[in-house]
Structure formats: C-alpha cells, structure tokens
Amino acid sequence: MDITLIRGDGIGPEVMEQAVRILKETGADLQFEEYDAGIPALERCGDILPEELMESIRRNKVALKGPITTPVGGGFRSINITLRQAFGLYANVRRAFSYEGIDTPFKNVDILTVRENTEGLYCGIEETPDEDTAKSVRLITRKASQKVIRYAFEAARKLGRKKVTAAHKANILKETDGLFLRVFSDIAKDYPDIINDTVIIDACAMKLVTDPGDFDVIVTTNLFGDILSDLTSGLVGGLGLTCGNNIGDDAAIFEAIHGSAPDIAGKNIANPSAVICASSEMLHHIGYEKEARAVEDALRKTFREGRCLTADLGGNATTAEFADAVINNLR
Ligand code: NAI
Ligand code: MG
C-alpha cells in the first residue's frame, strides 16, 4: 500500500525516521512516497505546498505527517490548516490516555477529543481594516458541525464509550456556538445509548485538570479543540505522547499533536512516541489491525518497563534509543 510521507521540519525528521523504522519492522506492506512541505519545500523547490504532494495524497488517500513550522505573526499560512481544508479532513481525533509507567497526577485518564478541523476561528478569514484594528471571522456551518458531531457519536458507539460532551461558549458566542449546540442536541437524539452533555469551555478547562475522569468523548470547535487537546495531552505526560488523526471522507492524515519543537530540534532528544502512536493509528485505519496493535503494545511495554525514556519523561534516552526499545518490544 502506498503512503504519502511528510517528514516535516524541526524535530520532524528525527521523530519520523523512528516511526518509519518501526513501521518497516511491523512487516506491513507499505511503500512511502516522500515529499517536503513548508520551509524545506520552499528551500528545495520554491513552493511551500508542492502540487505533487497534493496529488500523492489524492491518490493514496493516506498520509503520515511530521510537524511543520508555521511562522508566527506574518509569513505563509499554516500548511496543516491548508491540508485539512483542502482534503475536507473534518474531524481531528486526539486520544489522551494514561500509560502505565508514566507518573502523572491522575491515573486512568482516557479522553477522546474530536475537534472540528476545517472552519471556526481557523477558517482563514482575517483582515486589518486599519493599522489599529484587526479582525477574524469565526465561521460555523451546520454542515461541518453535523459532520464532526456525528463522527464523535459514531466513534463513541464504535469504541464502547459512554458519554459525548460538547464544549462551547454559547453564552457569549450566541450565534456561532448556538448553532453548534443546536446541531449537537439534534444529533444526540439519534444516539439514545450514549449520554450527551454540554459544558462551557472555561469551566471545561478547570474540570479537566481537577476531575478528568468525568470526561469520555469531547466534541468541540476548532480553536477550543486545539487548546483542550494539548491540555489533555499534558494530563497524560505531555505533547510527546499524543497523536492526532485528521479524518475526512476521501483522505486521512496521521500526525502528532505537537509542533516542530524548535527548542530541542537537531539534538536527538525528542520523544518519538506521538508519531509512533500516529503510525499505529494509521495502520489501524488501513486495515493492518494486528500490526497496529503490536505497535501500541510495544509502546505501552516500553513505558511500563520505564528503563528507556526520553528527557521529557525524566529519562536520558535519545530519540533513536527509545525507538530501539520499542522495536525490541515488537518482537
Ligand atoms: P511545540 O509542540 O512544537 O512545542 C511545545 C513544547 O513541547 C516545547 O517545549 C517542545 O520542546 C515540547 N515538545 C513538543 N513535542 C515534543 C516531543 N516530541 N518530545 C519532547 N518535547 C516536545 O509547540 P510550539 O513551540 O508552540 O510550536 C512550534 C512550531 O510548530 C510552530 O511553528 C507551530 O506552528 C508548529 N506546530 C505544528 C503543528 C503540526 O504540524 N501539526 C502542531 C503544533 C504546532
Ligand atoms: Mg495545536
């Protein structure tokens, strides 16, 4: 099976190298079509998002992607958001769960955040009418809300989860989150077997850090989901652990939720677990169930053993040494 591969930049190439090694070790029949995007692509061919890359994703329908730097303030538009919009990847699915062996304040956290991935405040409609004023449009449509909310309920049902909570700010954002909540309440009626609940986003943040066990599946709009899913990854050990599946009807892109981490890039100390987890999710998506489970189990075993951990988890293993330990546990 052909997979589009984007190694990304910053820590991207370091962690992706290990993910690819592990994928090859599983024995799954995968061929990688590799492309640059963002700054490396700009340097190589003068285009931040080469058409051959887009064509490859259209053809293969599955991509594994490393983090890509987006300039802050000015510069080019986020490649991540452009890809999500271009391929209609309407759900960004991020599972944060406690690993045995990783010491965190709460045990047994298992929260699936389903984030709307194509619109909201990230729709890209921003302007500066004059030099003292800037404004953004927060676009919420019935169609995109229906797709992501239905996805959340379907995922809950398929995974045997009990509750879906909509996180919103409809008390202030009456029109946009009002619409999102109305769609939530309509769709919830089709799932009487699943509890539905709503929570205001700021209270949700507080409850997540005091009683995370109260949450099961969270469905929310783009910006809120971006922030909450970094928070939930913090609950289980940090950004180095959690992956994000960008799911659409015609394509899917698997990645880590973390960015290019310029502060630690090039040092071979980044935790590759999130992209390893993304690789496992990708294997699952394309039907390599046994191989997907093997990668997930190897990762769990490596944490449980606790002998080989990267610096973010208090260890001193390099990126490659950690991946070696995972590969040992695959066998
Ligand atoms: P970041 O996620 O890159 O880093 C935040 C902090 O977490 C840093 O201290 C970093 O060292 C640490 N960290 C992240 N991943 C780690 C790992 N695997 N192992 C150990 N420590 C890790 O977020 P930041 O600094 O806000 O963003 C850097 C760049 O990444 C920006 O240009 C941003 O736009 C981009 N970005 C790209 C994403 C993507 O490609 N999907 C997602 C998030 C950010
Ligand atoms: Mg983010």
Side-chain angles (χ1 to χ4, degrees):
M1 171 148 199
D2 294 328
I3 305 288
T4 305
L5 180 72
I6 307 167
R7 290 185 193 259
D9 57 86
I11 59 169
E14 299 161 47
V15 291
M16 291 296 279
E17 185 187 339
Q18 305 310 327
V20 170
R21 261 179 80 206
I22 289 168
L23 280 170
K24 288 185 175 156
E25 288 286 334
T26 66
D29 183 19
L30 306 177
Q31 286 80 41
F32 295 102
E33 288 181 5
E34 193 170 336
Y35 295 92
D36 284 327
I39 293 163
L42 190 64
E43 285 165 358
R44 190 171 298 184
C45 63
D47 187 353
I48 51 170
L49 201 49
E51 181 47 34
E52 309 87 78
L53 162 61
M54 303 301 272
E55 188 46 45
S56 169
I57 299 176
R58 264 193 293 275
R59 204 171 43 243
N60 299 332
K61 304 188 189 319
V62 183
L64 183 64
K65 181 191 147 298
I68 299 175
T69 298
T70 307
V72 174
F76 58 80
R77 186 160 186 252
S78 164
I79 299 293
N80 304 307
I81 289 179
T82 306
L83 286 172
R84 291 165 189 172
Q85 291 177 344
F87 292 102
L89 309 177
Y90 56 86
N92 191 322
V93 186
R94 301 175 157 190
R95 181 177 171 211
F97 58 99
S98 305
Y99 281 105
E100 201 183 322
I102 295 179
D103 192 25
T104 52
F106 299 99
K107 310 296 166 218
N108 305 322
V109 173
D110 188 354
I111 300 169
L112 191 74
T113 304
V114 181
R115 157 187 172 193
E116 199 294 318
N117 212 23
T118 60
E119 54 178 32
L121 259 175
Y122 293 1
C123 69
I125 309 173
E126 264 203 324
E127 62 168 321
T128 303
D130 63 68
E131 63 175 315
D132 299 319
T133 314
K135 66 179 179 187
S136 280
V137 170
R138 184 172 193 265
L139 182 75
I140 300 287
T141 64
R142 182 180 301 280
K143 190 168 169 216
S145 304
Q146 282 171 334
K147 288 195 91 136
V148 74
I149 292 167
R150 193 163 292 285
Y151 184 93
F153 277 100
E154 284 294 326
R157 191 176 266 172
K158 194 163 136 210
L159 299 168
R161 288 175 176 265
K162 308 226 157 3
K163 180 162 84 171
V164 178
T165 302
H168 68 92
K169 191 76 183 176
N171 49 332
I172 308 296
L173 304 168
K174 291 180 193 293
E175 297 298 326
T176 48
D177 270 359
L179 174 58
F180 190 78
L181 274 193
R182 281 198 300 282
V183 172
F184 179 77
S185 143
D186 282 348
I187 290 181
K189 293 188 186 108
D190 294 340
Y191 299 85
D193 47 322
I194 294 161
I195 300 166
N196 68 83
D197 191 14
T198 63
V199 63
I200 293 178
I201 187 69
D202 32 354
C204 178
M206 187 279 292
K207 284 184 189 163
L208 276 169
V209 298
T210 51
D211 186 16
D214 195 38
F215 292 90
D216 192 348
V217 177
I218 298 176
V219 64
T220 190
T221 50
N222 208 337
L223 170 70
F224 294 162
D226 190 4
I227 298 170
L228 283 191
S229 56
D230 271 31
L231 187 159
T232 56
S233 93
L235 288 174
V236 299
L239 286 173
L241 297 176
T242 312
C243 63
N245 312 341
N246 299 276
I247 306 290
D249 292 332
D250 303 318
I253 300 181
F254 296 84
E255 63 181 341
I257 77 163
H258 63 69
S260 54
D263 53 338
I264 57 166
K267 297 182 179 162
N268 195 25
I269 58 166
N271 186 345
S273 300
V275 289
I276 295 171
C277 174
S279 309
S280 166
E281 292 283 328
M282 182 191 78
L283 286 169
H284 172 71
H285 179 83
I286 59 178
Y288 281 102
E289 286 299 335
K290 183 166 63 69
E291 292 78 359
R293 214 161 322 112
V295 172
E296 193 187 325
D297 289 347
L299 202 51
R300 282 182 191 271
K301 188 165 178 216
T302 309
F303 291 134
R304 208 162 49 236
E305 291 170 345
R307 283 194 298 272
C308 185
L309 297 175
T310 44
D312 55 317
L313 297 175
N316 51 22
T318 64
T319 308
E321 284 165 353
F322 178 83
D324 291 343
V326 175
I327 288 172
N328 261 326
N329 286 332
L330 257 183
R331 293 171 184 145

